[in-house]
Amino acid sequence: MDTHKQIRSLCLVLGDQLNHDSTLWHDFDPRQDLIALFEVKEESTHPLSSKQRTALFFSSMRHFAEELREKQLPVFYSTIAEQHRSISDALTALIRQQRPEKLRLVLPGDTRVLTDLQTLCKTHDLDLELLADHHFISRPGEFSRWLKKMKQPRMEYWYREMRKTRQILLDEHSKPLGGKWNYDQDNRQTFSHNGPDITALKPLFTPDAITQAAIRDINNHLPQLPGKLDQFSWPVCREQALLALDQFIEQRLPLFGQYQDAMWIDEPFLYHSWLSSSLNLKLLNPMEVIGKAVQALEQGNAPLNSVEGFIRQIIGWREYVRGLYWTHHTDWEQMNWLQHSNRLPNFYWTADTQMKCLQQSISQVLDAGYGHHIQRLMITGLFALLSKVDPQQVHRWYLAMYVDAVAWVEIPNTLGMSQFADGGIVASKPYIASGNYISRMSNYCSRCPYNPKQATGDQACPFTTLYWGFIADNQSWLSQNPRLAMQTKHWENKEAKEKKAILTRRDEVIHSLQIEAE
Ligand code: FAD
Ligand code: SF4
């Protein structure tokens, strides 16, 4: 391309927009338009992004740029070595050089990026063309129309609506296959003493030359980022993502449902799909993922409880939280309904804690940027909630540390579902439990110095102590919720002496956590 001639559209591709069927390509003309991808410092430091997450984004963007070049498309790629501070800085330089008529991109998954780009275009008096994101299953506007009809919106009703309108897992009378919408009752099993049989699982992908170069660049230019890069095995291109999908459907989907909530020492992945990063970077399309799961059911290779449980996560939770993110996007970053203000304990960055459940859940995040749903909700999230950590600090940690973290999905899950900072927009009640829940769902407690049954004394499990403390502090409104009334009744029925001992212990635990956080 002649760099002195004015171009028509500067087409910006963000790191989580790596789909070849994007609306960006519908009207793309390689003679007049230019594609731009930038690796910039601030997207890894403000907000923070771990080494694993950054490597996934850089490597996937570099692979995508290569694929575009192979199609003979004009690509401008600026790596982290070029030291651009922000996307706005990098774009400003390119706008001055190329003098485009407009900036074109698909709606970003983060309102912060959208606002920055709107400001930039105003400054440069440049048209901004925002394109609809057709990666998702729900069409633009569909969620808000549905929301308007709902008195009390809940994920379950949205999920049923999606199944009905998309004809997914329905019988010939348009009723749910097998007679039930939900097989959660079958999906809460724990492992026997022998633990999971995961011999069939293989490691994912060995870093190729592009990934190795991205890792080198991160170590050189962003050495201060949290987490480690000794092992990196995430899919970084569509071809690998499709292989990962096939591997999941064949090897892990059959037992996905049954053990969806279970945890086991040194087994971070179990029967989960590990597909969230590929879905969120748009290397995979959610509909093709669902199609493969349905096919496995039809061919008798996976049971209904697993297939339904898996599909619920994608057309239910994934689409639902995205709808809520855009509905409430201006409010999220101020939310703190419970008015928690404690600091995030330092061990969230090091995994240096004696609490086995937290040590395991955090060390795998530092090593691989991964935790499955129950680890995120009922270990790392639950502990932060019960110890009254400022939810915005919790949100920044989640956004930084997980490879699949993008604002539209991370924020409602963390601030809403996990920290109840939204006062009940995402979930109808806070997800709270004592150490007994963790003991039931895992073998962590068997190798922990604490005892999940004890709330007081030297061996008291901090989760159990903090759980009762949370109930004591929030008793008045928790008791109004029929699903939590029983838990508050248990607290009421305790003797005054026991209550006092628990609350004293709770204050000691929080005090020592706050000293550790300094
Ligand atoms: P599987 O267990 O195999 O589930 C299949 C797919 O369903 C996932 O790949 C994902 O795309 C989707 N899914 C499942 N649960 C959810 C959910 N609650 N919301 C949206 N999609 C869901 N997910 C992210 O993709 N990015 C995040 O930043 C993120 N942050 C979270 C923070 C907290 C506090 C909590 C409680 C959950 C968060 N989740 C997030 C949701 C969920 O934990 C992950 O999607 C899942 O663990 C990813 O692993 P997997 O691909 O093996 O999922
Ligand atoms: Fe976690 Fe408590 Fe069990 Fe230890 S005893 S692993 S801290 S739940």
Side-chain angles (χ1 to χ4, degrees):
M1 178 175 292
D2 175 357
T3 50
H4 298 293
K5 207 176 117 211
Q6 184 177 16
I7 61 168
R8 186 183 67 161
S9 301
L10 186 54
C11 297
L12 178 64
V13 176
L14 298 169
D16 62 342
Q17 299 183 333
L18 308 181
N19 44 340
H20 288 282
D21 58 356
S22 152
T23 37
L24 192 62
W25 314 119
H26 290 179
D27 182 33
F28 186 83
D29 180 351
R31 290 160 309 178
Q32 319 182 60
D33 302 331
L34 176 65
I35 304 159
L37 294 100
F38 304 113
E39 296 171 8
V40 298
K41 205 166 173 200
E42 269 189 8
E43 290 302 309
S44 297
T45 55
H46 296 92
L48 194 62
S49 170
S50 70
K51 285 188 174 148
Q52 283 277 329
R53 181 178 180 276
T54 307
L56 172 73
F57 273 77
F58 286 4
S59 173
S60 304
M61 287 164 70
R62 292 179 190 195
H63 278 90
F64 190 67
E66 269 313 297
E67 289 162 11
L68 295 174
R69 287 189 194 109
E70 276 162 22
K71 292 186 185 174
Q72 312 293 330
L73 298 179
V75 178
F76 178 91
Y77 196 103
S78 165
T79 71
I80 191 69
E82 286 163 58
Q83 304 274 359
H84 283 297
R85 190 177 57 91
S86 62
I87 294 182
S88 297
D89 280 6
L91 265 175
T92 300
L94 197 58
I95 288 166
R96 287 201 180 117
Q97 190 192 55
Q98 299 288 341
R99 297 179 294 121
E101 288 167 21
K102 63 179 169 192
L103 179 68
R104 217 168 166 245
L105 80 152
V106 173
L107 180 74
D110 187 338
T111 53
R112 174 187 58 85
V113 176
L114 177 60
T115 311
D116 286 354
L117 292 174
Q118 284 166 332
T119 310
L120 175 99
C121 286
K122 243 189 210 149
T123 312
H124 293 278
D125 200 17
L126 187 68
D127 282 345
L128 174 63
E129 188 184 353
L130 273 181
L131 304 166
D133 192 344
H134 285 188
H135 157 87
F136 292 91
I137 298 170
S138 42
R139 295 294 102 203
E142 187 175 357
F143 186 84
S144 48
R145 282 194 297 278
W146 173 82
L147 204 59
K148 277 196 194 116
K149 291 190 282 179
M150 301 306 292
K151 257 200 195 138
Q152 232 199 353
R154 286 292 164 236
M155 191 286 287
E156 182 63 29
Y157 303 125
W158 166 255
Y159 167 64
R160 291 181 191 183
E161 172 90 0
M162 293 293 277
R163 271 180 64 184
K164 283 186 219 156
T165 51
R166 269 64 180 185
Q167 296 286 304
I168 296 169
L169 298 182
L170 299 183
D171 64 18
E172 62 279 16
H173 309 292
S174 294
K175 297 275 181 238
L177 214 57
K180 290 197 285 184
W181 289 107
N182 180 323
Y183 290 85
D184 269 358
Q185 286 305 330
D186 305 330
N187 287 358
R188 296 205 176 108
Q189 295 187 35
T190 56
F191 297 115
S192 71
H193 286 304
N194 300 329
D197 172 14
I198 41 144
T199 42
L201 304 189
K202 294 186 197 96
L204 283 170
F205 303 96
T206 314
D208 63 7
I210 294 181
T211 303
Q212 286 173 24
I215 290 174
R216 262 196 315 277
D217 284 350
I218 291 164
N219 286 331
N220 286 338
H221 299 284
L222 297 162
Q224 76 283 14
L225 298 185
K228 300 176 191 161
L229 273 174
D230 319 342
Q231 319 154 16
F232 181 92
S233 58
W234 293 104
V236 287
C237 60
R238 179 158 167 79
E239 195 188 335
Q240 290 185 344
L242 285 169
L243 283 170
L245 171 60
D246 286 346
Q247 197 192 43
F248 164 66
I249 298 285
E250 229 174 76
Q251 299 190 1
R252 300 189 301 280
L253 178 62
L255 290 177
F256 170 88
Q258 197 173 331
Y259 296 119
Q260 209 174 333
D261 289 1
M263 297 168 280
W264 200 256
I265 287 177
D266 292 337
E267 295 296 349
F269 300 111
L270 296 167
Y271 298 100
H272 289 268
S273 69
W274 329 337
L275 293 175
S276 51
S277 65
S278 299
L279 279 163
N280 295 353
L281 268 59
K282 307 197 174 98
L283 302 175
L284 289 177
N285 182 284
M287 222 44 206
E288 76 188 330
V289 172
I290 288 166
K292 290 263 182 171
V294 171
Q295 196 183 35
L297 176 74
E298 287 168 354
Q299 293 175 346
N301 296 331
L304 182 56
N305 67 304
S306 276
V307 173
E308 186 281 317
F310 178 67
I311 288 178
R312 162 186 299 270
Q313 307 307 320
I314 296 182
I315 60 173
W317 280 114
R318 188 168 188 268
E319 299 276 330
Y320 186 69
V321 297
R322 177 168 182 267
L324 289 181
Y325 175 73
W326 285 108
T327 309
H328 298 276
H329 67 87
T330 46
D331 304 329
W332 289 111
E333 311 254 339
Q334 272 81 50
M335 285 176 183
N336 188 354
W337 193 77
L338 290 165
Q339 307 211 332
H340 287 171
S341 57
N342 284 340
R343 289 182 295 273
L344 189 71
N346 202 38
F347 61 71
Y348 274 77
W349 304 103
T350 61
D352 187 8
T353 169
Q354 289 201 306
M355 290 178 273
K356 193 69 179 172
C357 53
L358 279 162
Q359 181 271 325
Q360 286 276 306
S361 304
I362 295 171
S363 58
Q364 70 183 62
V365 178
L366 297 170
D367 290 344
Y370 183 82
H372 73 63
H373 189 70
I374 294 301
Q375 291 173 309
R376 298 187 205 203
L377 187 65
M378 301 308 285
I379 308 275
T380 43
L382 176 62
F383 194 78
L385 173 69
L386 297 182
S387 50
K388 301 185 179 186
V389 176
D390 169 5
Q392 299 298 332
Q393 282 194 32
V394 185
H395 142 57
R396 288 195 287 275
W397 182 79
Y398 274 94
L399 186 60
M401 298 309 290
Y402 291 84
V403 287
D404 55 27
V406 184
W408 66 264
V409 54
E410 179 277 321
I411 285 180
N413 269 298
T414 305
L415 291 175
M417 193 189 302
S418 165
Q419 301 301 301
F420 210 70
D422 60 353
I425 293 170
V426 177
S428 57
K429 64 171 188 60
Y431 283 88
I432 48 169
S434 71
N436 288 320
Y437 170 83
I438 298 169
S439 172
R440 199 165 60 247
M441 298 311 297
S442 74
N443 66 342
Y444 293 148
C445 305
S446 65
R447 295 216 216 136
C448 181
Y450 300 111
N451 182 343
K453 291 191 172 38
Q454 288 183 15
T456 55
D458 287 348
Q459 285 191 324
C461 163
F463 279 85
T464 304
T465 310
L466 293 169
Y467 164 76
W468 289 122
F470 185 90
I471 294 201
D473 290 348
N474 298 288
Q475 202 177 350
S476 57
W477 64 274
L478 289 180
S479 60
Q480 307 299 312
N481 187 315
R483 290 165 70 199
L484 290 172
M486 184 75 106
Q487 285 164 274
T488 52
K489 204 89 212 129
H490 283 319
W491 171 253
E492 274 170 34
N493 290 341
K494 283 187 190 294
E495 294 202 355
K497 200 170 147 203
E498 190 186 352
K499 284 183 182 172
K500 191 168 171 232
I502 292 174
L503 294 181
T504 306
R505 174 81 187 168
R506 186 274 307 271
D507 292 344
E508 286 164 11
V509 171
I510 295 212
H511 181 66
S512 65
L513 286 169
Q514 288 310 290
I515 291 176
E516 197 258 3
E518 276 171 359

